[in-house]
């Protein structure tokens, strides 16, 4: 049974994840493409992993963790997180975002992929 008193200070929002990212300080994710938006907005990111996600999703998430140097926590184990180590890792990983954006999100170094896709769609279909 869940102790609901723990959730008394939580607020349930009816906004989409992408709309919440700009106003958030820390983004916690397990499996989500919203991680890319968090990188673009240069947010502190924590990855949550678990054996219950399965090998495929854990391997997929680990690619982000490794390439961005993210702080990651395995929730299958008792969580013992050193606050200073966590803060250091969150701040250090942000230094990797610009290179990730340049290599993965706008590889030509000019514009973000969504801008190029929109342009190509307009060019070809409108």
């Amino acid at each position: 049974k869940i102790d609901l008193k723990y959730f008394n200070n939580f607020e349930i929002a009816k906004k989409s994840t992408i709309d919440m990212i700009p106003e958030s300080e820390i983004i916690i994710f397990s499996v989500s493409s919203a991680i890319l938006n968090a990188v673009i907005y240069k947010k502190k990111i924590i990855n949550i992993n678990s054996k219950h996600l399965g090998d495929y999703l854990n391997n997929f998430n680990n690619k982000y963790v490794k390439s961005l140097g993210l702080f990651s926590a395995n929730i299958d184990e008792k969580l013992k997180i050193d606050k200073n180590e966590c803060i250091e890792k969150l701040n250090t990983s942000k230094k990797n975002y610009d290179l990730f954006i340049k290599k993965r999100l706008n590889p030509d170094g000019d514009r973000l992929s969504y801008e190029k896709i929109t342009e190509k769609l307009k060019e070809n279909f409108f």
Side-chain angles (χ1 to χ4, degrees):
K1 184 175 176 176
I2 298 175
D3 182 7
L4 297 178
K5 289 183 278 182
Y6 175 76
F7 296 104
N8 284 345
N9 294 325
F10 281 75
E11 178 183 329
I12 297 175
K14 293 186 179 185
K15 294 181 181 180
S16 70
T17 300
I18 291 173
D19 292 336
M20 300 280 300
I21 290 173
E23 61 195 56
S24 300
E25 183 178 347
I26 298 174
I27 308 301
I28 300 172
F29 87 102
S30 57
V31 180
S32 176
S33 60
I35 183 73
L36 301 177
N37 293 74
V39 170
I40 289 171
Y41 283 103
K42 299 196 169 60
K43 297 297 179 174
K44 297 172 184 168
I45 302 169
I46 297 175
N47 169 259
I48 301 295
N49 63 61
S50 166
K51 64 183 176 190
H52 299 291
L53 291 172
D55 290 340
Y56 175 78
L57 294 177
N58 277 319
N59 289 335
F60 186 78
N61 287 339
N62 283 335
K63 290 180 183 179
Y64 287 122
V65 170
K66 287 179 183 176
S67 64
L68 292 165
L70 299 177
F71 180 81
S72 185
N74 183 338
I75 60 172
D76 297 331
E77 302 167 0
K78 184 176 180 178
L79 291 176
K80 187 175 180 180
I81 299 171
D82 179 90
K83 181 179 175 181
N84 292 329
E85 181 184 327
C86 178
I87 291 169
E88 176 67 26
K89 187 82 168 176
L90 290 173
N91 290 327
T92 301
S93 67
K94 288 173 66 176
K95 296 175 184 175
N96 300 319
Y97 293 2
D98 287 333
L99 184 59
F100 184 88
I101 291 168
K102 184 176 180 178
K103 288 178 115 180
R104 303 270 178 99
L105 302 181
N106 61 342
D108 67 1
D110 191 19
R111 294 176 296 156
L112 293 172
S113 57
Y114 76 86
E115 294 172 334
K116 291 180 258 188
I117 291 169
T118 303
E119 180 182 299
K120 287 295 178 187
L121 286 171
K122 286 179 181 178
E123 222 173 77
N124 292 314
F125 298 106
F126 300 101

